[in-house]
Amino acid sequence: MLVHLNRTFLSLRTKFMILFMALITIPFMISGAFTYTKYAANVEQSTKNYTLQIVDQIRINLDRYVKEIDRLTLSPLYDPNVLAILKNHSSSYQKGVYLTAEEQFKMNLFISSMAFERSEIESILIFTDDGSLFSNSDTSVMNYWSQDTNNWMADDILEDGGLTINPPHTVSYYTSGPKTVVSLSRLIREPYTHSKIGYIKVDLKTEGFENIFSSVQFGNNSKLYIYDQKGTILYPQASTSEPDLNDPGLLSASTRSKYTGLQIWGQIPLAELRKEAKEITSYTLMISLISLAAALLLAVLSSDRLVKPIRHLQSKMELVKKGFFKERAIVSTHDEIGQLTEVFNRMVGEIERLVREVYETKLRERDAEISALQSQMNPHFLYNTLESINMMAVRHHHLALSDVVTNLGKLLRYTVDKRQTFVYFRDEVRFAEAYMQIQELRSGDRLRAEIFIDPSLQTVLVLKLILQPLVENVIEHGMGSEPVTIRIRAVTENDDLIVSVEDDGLGMDEAEMEQVLRRIDYAGEAPHIKQQFGHKSSGYALRNVHQRIRLLYGKPYGLVLRKNAHKGMTVLIRLPFQWEE
């Protein structure tokens, strides 16, 4: 009783799950917990040291950059041409002072040399006391400045020639409109008299500070704040927030530069700095997966008794897939595989029975459909022939009636025998020729027939009544006011016979061609087409011939419609070669 319960409730999947949990999951959880705990005990101190190193490196970069700008802004004091121009414009302030071309050339040349290969600089500007403004760009900066929009000059005066770091402020001397910049500037005094003769100012771009410390790897989610001596934020310019020193998820560190007086705050998320712990955890996980693979290999090697029934069942499935429905698998176990094998055997038996029933049903349906199509063809043709005789008798007052009756007799003898499914190709051609002679008498000189058949093909067996419906289709739908010629040809292609019925009649456009093709292929494939067009549509004859050929020979045999290059249509009949045994 106990064995039966184990076989019923302890499935194969449950056995493997218990084995894998015991071999992999428990050791992985224990080793991962110890590894992460050990690393977390030391990460706090290393994180703090790392943050201090980054902040101090940023301070060193800022000090170095400010020293370079300091030396740069002292350059006008050593250039006689610049000093001469500044002295010449040291009179009282007046807006719109005239600047000579020579002065602008010399100043632009001097300032452009200062800004060479400094992508972080927006512009370098020199302000004169009389309101003139020189820069390294003649188009983006005005040539004058306003007293009421340059309050930063007051700080330069207080520094009395020392370098001033200006926090974000709005200036109006750019031609594109007001712009917010961070800049470094100083007051320029004449070297000998120490009189004030102007200002030099370096405007940094918005990304200027980022370029200064871009070489420092600070992390994607870290935050950096830079303040001047007054506590005004310099970076980031658009930020109004201050460092959150109480956030437990952030590690904060700060330093102040003795040279510039700038204070730098850096905040780094602890999670970002604990990536190494995650890497160790990932490494442990990789080791566990390798162990899992090894355990799986051992399980495969030790489960030969389980694998053999599966492979046996798989081989039987491949045979059934190829159509061998007599195959049955051997039931050798009593677990899920054994149950699956029993179900497979029952399923294959049921498939074999259904295939046999469906195959026999299809054969009966095909024979019935062929008989139905044949029975529909003959009354339809007889009706049209009698109608032609009646029209001729009325029009021609019984002239040439004997010829019509003679040909009609030939047609009746050919169609009355329904037991004959296949005929010689020559008999099918003679039948179509007799039909066209009747139609030629009815139509006068508006219908001509040309037949080109190789004598070697006359004894080939073809399906009965395949040419006359195509000729009738041309007469019914292809004739207009002009004469029409019908040409019947036959050629061989590999093991197939290709018969073409070509005309130079009205033809059809693309929409009509698509409609006819849908009518021809509706049977057994698209029942809604039958409802749309009905049995008495213009494609009735073509559809019957095509479906009869398809039912007997299958694809690719049947009819193919083509538009001629100039006018008219060509219908190709593809049949397999069949000789009388």
Side-chain angles (χ1 to χ4, degrees):
M1 184 65 179
L2 180 60
V3 175
H4 175 73
L5 290 176
N6 288 337
R7 288 181 178 176
T8 304
F9 296 102
L10 194 58
S11 65
L12 195 61
R13 181 176 180 272
T14 304
K15 296 177 183 177
F16 274 103
M17 289 295 295
I18 294 174
L19 179 63
F20 291 155
M21 288 178 61
L23 295 178
I24 302 301
T25 307
I26 296 177
F28 167 72
M29 293 177 62
I30 295 175
S31 62
F34 275 103
T35 302
Y36 191 82
T37 302
K38 181 63 178 178
Y39 182 81
N42 299 325
V43 72
E44 197 70 31
Q45 186 61 37
S46 62
T47 300
K48 183 177 294 185
N49 295 335
Y50 176 73
T51 306
L52 288 173
Q53 291 176 4
I54 291 178
V55 172
D56 194 58
Q57 183 62 47
I58 293 175
R59 177 193 61 79
I60 294 173
N61 290 356
L62 280 175
D63 288 350
R64 184 185 299 115
Y65 183 78
V66 172
K67 287 179 182 179
E68 292 179 3
I69 299 299
D70 191 8
R71 289 192 296 268
L72 187 70
T73 56
L74 290 173
S75 300
L77 299 176
Y78 303 99
D79 192 305
N81 293 327
V82 175
L83 290 175
I85 295 173
L86 291 177
K87 291 178 183 179
N88 189 38
H89 290 272
S90 61
S91 58
S92 60
Y93 176 83
Q94 53 179 329
K95 183 177 181 181
V97 178
Y98 176 75
L99 301 176
T100 65
E102 183 180 1
E103 290 176 338
Q104 291 181 344
F105 175 76
K106 290 181 179 180
M107 294 295 281
N108 288 345
L109 183 62
F110 172 75
I111 296 174
S112 297
S113 65
M114 296 170 62
F116 182 69
E117 290 188 350
R118 291 184 176 273
S119 59
E120 80 280 359
I121 294 178
E122 180 75 31
S123 59
I124 300 177
L125 310 105
I126 295 179
F127 300 77
T128 64
D129 281 351
D130 63 353
S132 301
L133 178 58
F134 299 95
S135 70
N136 57 323
S137 177
D138 293 333
T139 58
S140 62
V141 178
M142 301 177 182
N143 57 5
Y144 62 88
W145 58 275
S146 301
Q147 288 181 321
D148 55 348
T149 59
N150 291 276
N151 299 327
W152 53 270
M153 293 181 177
D155 294 333
D156 288 6
I157 295 174
L158 292 177
E159 292 291 335
D160 194 21
L163 185 67
T164 304
I165 300 177
N166 302 298
H169 60 284
T170 303
V171 296
S172 59
Y173 44 73
Y174 287 99
T175 57
S176 60
K179 184 179 295 187
T180 301
V181 295
V182 173
S183 62
L184 297 93
S185 61
R186 70 165 65 243
L187 175 67
I188 303 176
R189 291 187 179 276
E190 206 280 330
Y192 301 104
T193 63
H194 295 286
S195 60
K196 183 171 71 68
I197 58 176
Y199 302 86
I200 183 170
K201 187 169 184 280
V202 179
D203 288 346
L204 299 178
K205 293 181 180 179
T206 304
E207 64 273 13
F209 275 110
E210 296 180 2
N211 293 334
I212 294 172
F213 49 79
S214 60
S215 60
V216 180
Q217 300 296 328
F218 198 59
N220 297 328
N221 299 319
S222 303
K223 299 178 181 179
L224 180 68
Y225 301 90
I226 302 176
Y227 295 87
D228 63 6
Q229 295 177 346
K230 299 179 181 179
T232 305
I233 189 168
L234 299 180
Y235 179 84
Q237 294 186 24
S239 175
T240 58
S241 61
E242 296 183 355
D244 186 1
L245 303 180
N246 298 321
D247 190 345
L250 297 174
L251 181 63
S252 302
S254 68
T255 184
R256 183 180 293 274
S257 172
K258 295 180 180 179
Y259 174 72
T260 62
L262 298 178
Q263 186 177 15
I264 304 169
W265 275 94
Q267 289 187 323
I268 302 180
L270 293 176
E272 185 172 336
L273 294 175
R274 288 171 180 168
K275 288 182 179 178
E276 295 182 6
K278 294 182 179 179
E279 292 177 358
I280 294 176
T281 304
S282 300
Y283 179 75
T284 305
L285 179 60
M286 182 182 64
I287 297 298
S288 300
L289 292 176
I290 294 175
S291 302
L292 177 63
L296 179 61
L297 179 60
L298 292 175
V300 171
L301 295 177
S302 61
S303 59
D304 184 70
R305 186 172 180 272
L306 174 66
V307 173
K308 281 186 176 179
I310 297 177
R311 291 179 177 175
H312 173 69
L313 181 60
Q314 182 183 13
S315 63
K316 295 300 181 179
M317 287 182 177
E318 289 294 332
L319 293 175
V320 172
K321 179 181 177 181
K322 296 178 181 179
F324 297 96
F325 298 110
K326 297 290 185 180
E327 295 294 331
R328 297 294 185 271
I330 300 174
V331 180
S332 59
T333 60
H334 299 283
D335 54 10
E336 290 86 349
I337 300 300
Q339 297 175 8
L340 182 62
T341 304
E342 293 177 355
V343 173
F344 169 78
N345 290 337
R346 290 197 298 269
M347 180 185 67
V348 173
E350 186 67 15
I351 292 175
E352 181 185 10
R353 183 184 63 81
L354 292 175
V355 167
R356 184 172 59 253
E357 291 180 359
V358 170
Y359 179 75
E360 293 174 354
T361 302
K362 284 295 183 181
L363 287 179
R364 289 193 296 268
E365 289 178 356
R366 189 182 69 171
D367 293 338
E369 189 166 358
I370 292 175
S371 299
L373 291 174
Q374 184 72 43
S375 63
Q376 291 175 3
M377 183 73 71
N378 294 334
H380 181 74
F381 171 70
L382 290 176
Y383 174 79
N384 289 338
T385 304
L386 292 176
E387 183 180 5
S388 298
I389 295 174
N390 181 48
M391 292 175 60
M392 181 181 296
V394 173
R395 283 186 177 182
H396 299 281
H397 305 287
H398 304 290
L399 298 178
L401 184 58
S402 60
D403 293 336
V404 175
V405 173
T406 300
N407 288 319
L408 180 58
K410 295 179 181 178
L411 302 183
L412 291 175
R413 281 192 299 272
Y414 187 78
T415 58
V416 73
D417 187 6
K418 296 183 179 180
R419 295 173 300 174
Q420 193 177 16
T421 304
F422 297 96
V423 296
Y424 289 122
F425 187 36
R426 66 188 178 201
D427 296 333
E428 182 68 13
V429 173
R430 290 172 183 172
F431 178 74
E433 187 176 12
Y435 176 79
M436 285 188 289
Q437 288 177 0
I438 294 176
Q439 297 294 346
E440 286 177 0
L441 292 173
R442 190 188 74 172
S443 303
D445 58 354
R446 293 175 58 246
L447 178 64
R448 294 189 293 270
E450 298 177 2
I451 300 176
F452 307 96
I453 302 297
D454 193 303
S456 62
L457 302 177
Q458 292 185 0
T459 57
V460 175
L461 290 179
V462 298
L463 192 63
K464 188 177 180 180
L465 289 175
I466 58 173
L467 284 180
Q468 183 272 336
L470 305 186
V471 174
E472 179 186 4
N473 188 72
V474 175
I475 296 172
E476 292 293 331
H477 305 288
M479 293 189 65
S481 58
E482 298 181 1
V484 174
T485 301
I486 300 176
R487 298 178 180 87
I488 299 177
R489 295 182 175 89
V491 296
T492 60
E493 182 178 306
N494 297 329
D495 294 332
D496 295 340
L497 174 68
I498 308 297
V499 182
S500 66
V501 178
E502 178 185 352
D503 69 87
D504 54 2
L506 298 178
M508 62 182 71
D509 55 24
E510 295 294 339
E512 292 174 340
M513 174 74 78
E514 179 67 22
Q515 191 178 49
V516 171
L517 291 176
R518 292 173 64 194
R519 292 173 181 175
I520 290 175
D521 286 331
Y522 90 86
E525 298 179 8
H528 63 281
I529 303 297
K530 179 178 179 180
Q531 297 175 1
Q532 181 179 355
F533 298 110
H535 286 287
K536 298 187 180 298
S537 60
S538 59
Y540 171 80
L542 298 178
R543 183 171 65 243
N544 274 351
V545 174
H546 180 72
Q547 293 301 328
R548 288 171 59 207
I549 296 175
R550 278 289 174 89
L551 286 171
L552 286 174
Y553 304 115
K555 293 184 179 181
Y557 301 105
L559 301 186
V560 177
L561 275 65
R562 294 178 182 173
K563 294 180 61 176
N564 294 338
H566 299 289
K567 62 178 181 177
M569 296 290 299
T570 298
V571 181
L572 301 178
I573 308 174
R574 178 180 290 272
L575 297 168
F577 261 116
Q578 189 173 354
W579 304 94
E580 185 176 19
E581 296 181 359

